[in-house]
Amino acid sequence: SPDEIGANVDMVTINGALAIDIHGQVVADTISGGQFSGIGGAQDFVAWLRERCQVIILSDTFYQFASPLMRQLQYPTIFCNRLEIGATGKIVDYHLRLPDQKRESVKALKALRFYVMAAGVAYNDTSMLGEAHAGIFFRPPDAVAKAFPQFPVTRTYAELKTAFTRAGGLKA
């Protein structure tokens, strides 16, 4: 919970997040000074995609932070990391799944003969995008898109649907 996180000594946050979407983008907006949550089309996109193929979210976040969003997305499979919470409710350690877990997960899925399409937003996604059969940027910062021109850039969920439809032969 935010109280548990805030109770940690020397904990610093630049922008406290209420939700993190499937691309690692933080949602921390306010209405009249109060924070609200919204994932800007992710719920509809994930539902659309799950009707057409299997979905696994590969994330660098922690299960404890992703849980509220996974509930909103109807609990798709997510591979991420885990925080260790001590008896006092404070974070005492963190456990990373493995180094470069996104790329390693894609390699494992390909070894099982799955066709893998991946969408990513930042530098930490590029090894996964490069390993996938089809790697697609979704709303990347301009510097990231410029540094990796081999990946098509999408800016809206409609564009991302089109890119997945073309890359995977999915029905529109």
Side-chain angles (χ1 to χ4, degrees):
S1 78
D3 292 332
E4 292 169 349
I5 295 167
N8 286 282
V9 177
D10 297 326
M11 176 62 78
V12 176
T13 180
I14 301 302
N15 186 6
L18 193 56
I20 302 172
D21 77 8
I22 64 173
H23 306 289
Q25 299 174 104
V26 173
V27 177
D29 296 311
T30 60
I31 296 176
S32 302
Q35 198 168 31
F36 73 96
S37 175
I39 52 179
Q43 188 172 11
D44 291 338
F45 175 77
V46 170
W48 174 87
L49 193 58
R50 288 175 89 175
E51 290 175 359
R52 290 156 178 81
C53 62
Q54 296 176 32
V55 175
I56 300 173
I57 296 174
L58 305 175
S59 178
D60 291 325
T61 192
F62 297 89
Y63 286 109
Q64 292 88 338
F65 297 148
S67 182
L69 178 62
M70 294 304 101
R71 186 177 326 104
Q72 289 180 345
L73 297 176
Q74 304 298 308
Y75 295 103
T77 299
I78 182 170
F79 296 165
C80 59
N81 304 297
R82 186 169 305 284
L83 294 172
E84 185 175 331
I85 310 298
T88 63
K90 293 183 180 179
I91 298 170
V92 295
D93 204 355
Y94 63 93
H95 304 282
L96 301 180
R97 183 167 295 286
L98 72 148
D100 204 5
Q101 67 99 4
K102 293 178 183 181
R103 182 176 62 84
E104 293 299 324
S105 296
V106 169
K107 282 172 59 176
L109 290 166
K110 286 172 63 179
L112 293 168
R113 300 187 184 202
F114 283 99
Y115 181 83
V116 180
M117 298 179 291
V121 68
Y123 283 109
N124 65 316
D125 296 318
T126 57
S127 65
M128 169 190 69
L129 297 178
E131 187 67 41
H133 292 100
I136 303 160
F137 272 137
F138 181 67
R139 298 180 183 161
D142 291 337
V144 175
K146 185 176 179 181
F148 298 92
Q150 67 270 37
F151 303 124
V153 173
T154 60
R155 300 278 179 203
T156 67
Y157 282 106
E159 290 175 358
L160 188 58
K161 284 180 182 181
T162 298
F164 269 82
T165 298
R166 288 181 182 152
L170 305 178
K171 65 177 183 158

